Amino acid sequence: MATSSTTVHILGAGPTGSLAAIALASKGCSVVLTDPLTRKELLSRSRAYAITHSSRRLLTDLNLWTSLQGSLTAFSSLDLRDSACGGRVVFGLDDLPNSNGRHEAIGWILDHQPLMELLMDRLHQHHRVELALGCAPPHPGVDDLIVAADGPLSTTRSQWGIGCWQFRYRQGCLTSKLVLRGVKSGMAYELFRPEGPLAILPLGDGIFQVVWSAPWTQCQRRADLPTPEFLDELAAVLPAGIEPDLLLDTPRAFPQQWSLARRLSRGRGVLLGEAGHRCHPVGGQGLNLCWRDVTSLTNLAERGGTSQRLARRYGRSRWADLLMVGLATDLLVRLFSNQQRWLLPFRRIGLEAMARFSWLRRISLRAMTDGPTQLLKPLPD
């Protein structure tokens, strides 16, 4: 068991670093959480996250779930379509295992600001957490555990001399918040299109986050379009019956890449979240994969041991999950985002089989919502 004599320095106070600070402090660690950004800057990001059942369990264990209820928008159906071959699968609550289905949601959409406000408030209140925001990090002690949660461009990872396997997708990703009409209540969409997947995620009150993947030059061009032209281009690719009414923020374009650090630990340091890995946003796996890092690190810290031993065990424990999710999201993008006509019959057969056989939907949804490494394990209530 971790004790108050165990000190953890976490570098990066985004959603993953902040949640890790709360989790480790709850296990008895003394935590120093630092970030060059101020609280106001950390809260100002405009984006939304897909929350799966693996993340729900972590937030529940940390007594955060109930406080987020008013900010979560549940979806009980997921409509997956392939525009090129015409295949379609609708996932519902019956495709979830009982322990997840009783929560009456396949997943939830959560806006960045209420999440970070709650995390920051809990961090300020926790007597085992020292916050150092908007300033340089204090120097860690010789026996302290160092957790790098400073994002995909992690300077800490570079300083530790840890390289990455990585490649850039030809696709970029454009995100925006809009008012849409014609969307069924409780429905989220994942639309596979030749130029890239398009996700429609409900935020409540008719507001949706759109995650639109396309060739990088297209994303940049669309981000700079006047609002009427942007809405016209979006309307042309939305499912029949769904129309955009109002753009609520400035569309932002991001390049997409897959990356995985060649090792997740060095000495008494570990790489957490996007400091150690990134995957394509298809399926909304990114934040949930990062938060499973937090779950793994917290469980290992509870078992005790030196910082170096903890770091080594963490580095070994995360490979299977990271590799399987990275491979699955990459295969989805390569299979469904292309102009290869010879693939269309196979795509249609695959989607028709999933639509017909409930056991295929259950396996797919279980892997998406709990993580592929949990497929053969019983789920807690």
Side-chain angles (χ1 to χ4, degrees):
M1 173 74 71
T3 68
S4 56
S5 62
T6 304
T7 300
V8 182
H9 284 254
I10 301 178
L11 311 175
T16 298
S18 294
L19 194 64
I22 294 171
L24 290 167
S26 74
K27 300 302 181 183
C29 299
S30 297
V31 178
V32 181
L33 177 62
T34 65
D35 199 292
L37 300 180
T38 64
R39 174 185 172 123
K40 181 178 180 180
E41 290 169 326
L42 289 166
L43 293 176
S44 65
R45 196 173 185 185
S46 177
R47 67 165 300 175
Y49 306 105
I51 303 297
T52 66
H53 285 276
S54 66
S55 293
R56 169 188 58 79
R57 285 191 289 274
L58 175 59
L59 292 169
T60 300
D61 290 343
L62 297 176
N63 297 316
L64 296 167
W65 185 250
T66 301
S67 298
L68 285 171
Q69 287 292 309
S71 303
L72 291 161
T73 301
F75 59 93
S76 55
S77 299
L78 175 62
D79 190 336
L80 187 152
R81 305 185 189 187
D82 184 346
S83 63
C85 75
R88 183 184 182 190
V89 180
V90 178
F91 296 90
L93 296 180
D94 291 341
D95 300 318
L96 291 170
N98 291 335
S99 59
N100 289 343
R102 67 170 58 103
H103 293 275
E104 299 185 348
I106 289 177
W108 298 262
I109 308 302
L110 177 61
D111 200 42
H112 175 82
Q113 186 167 343
L115 169 64
M116 287 304 299
E117 284 178 344
L118 176 63
L119 296 181
M120 286 289 115
D121 289 345
R122 292 293 175 90
L123 289 165
H124 277 289
Q125 296 165 7
H126 208 298
H127 68 280
R128 288 198 178 97
V129 176
E130 175 187 341
L131 276 176
L133 303 180
C135 59
H139 196 71
V142 294
D143 296 320
D144 296 345
L145 178 69
I146 305 169
V147 177
D150 48 350
L153 302 178
S154 172
T155 56
T156 310
R157 183 185 66 223
S158 299
Q159 290 169 0
W160 290 349
I162 299 177
C164 282
W165 294 293
Q166 59 184 336
F167 62 82
R168 287 198 170 222
Y169 290 100
R170 290 176 294 176
Q171 295 175 356
C173 175
L174 186 146
T175 63
S176 60
K177 292 179 182 176
L178 304 101
V179 175
L180 300 178
R181 52 187 161 88
V183 181
K184 293 181 180 179
S185 177
M187 181 74 78
Y189 294 83
E190 186 77 62
L191 312 174
F192 290 114
R193 306 179 62 254
E195 69 171 9
L198 171 69
I200 304 172
L201 309 174
L203 291 168
D205 299 323
I207 300 172
F208 296 83
Q209 171 103 358
V210 171
V211 183
W212 190 357
S213 296
W216 175 234
T217 54
Q218 284 279 58
C219 290
Q220 291 176 303
R221 181 187 64 80
R222 288 169 177 159
D224 293 333
L225 286 174
T227 296
E229 294 181 27
F230 175 82
L231 294 178
D232 286 344
E233 289 207 15
L234 179 62
V237 301
L238 290 174
I242 299 179
E243 297 288 339
D245 279 342
L246 182 65
L247 182 63
L248 299 177
D249 65 358
T250 301
R252 299 182 61 192
F254 305 91
Q256 288 300 326
Q257 70 176 37
W258 173 86
S259 67
L260 179 63
R262 295 178 182 271
R263 54 189 302 171
L264 298 173
S265 68
R266 169 148 290 173
R268 53 196 173 90
V270 301
L271 300 177
L272 198 74
E274 290 193 331
H277 54 85
R278 292 188 81 185
C279 63
H280 195 281
V282 63
Q285 294 299 301
L287 183 69
N288 300 286
L289 193 60
C290 294
W291 283 5
R292 291 203 291 274
D293 290 351
V294 175
T295 298
S296 179
L297 182 62
T298 305
N299 290 340
L300 290 170
E302 192 171 18
R303 290 164 53 184
T306 65
S307 296
Q308 287 192 346
R309 184 180 179 190
L310 172 57
R312 285 197 303 270
R313 289 187 298 182
Y314 168 81
R316 293 192 298 265
S317 71
R318 293 299 296 143
W319 282 107
D321 195 16
L322 298 179
L323 287 170
M324 283 192 280
V325 170
L327 178 62
T329 54
D330 184 68
L331 285 176
L332 278 175
V333 173
R334 294 182 187 277
L335 180 61
F336 288 94
S337 299
N338 60 68
Q339 305 284 348
Q340 303 297 324
R341 291 189 174 275
W342 65 272
L343 283 173
L344 295 182
F346 298 100
R347 284 154 52 171
R348 176 180 282 278
I349 290 170
L351 292 177
E352 286 180 349
M354 193 171 292
R356 180 177 179 181
F357 299 112
S358 60
W359 63 270
L360 278 177
R361 295 195 303 276
R362 287 196 296 268
I363 290 173
S364 300
L365 204 54
R366 174 90 189 267
M368 285 192 292
T369 60
D370 297 302
T373 60
Q374 301 300 309
L375 282 174
L376 300 178
K377 298 179 181 179
L379 291 175
D381 290 336

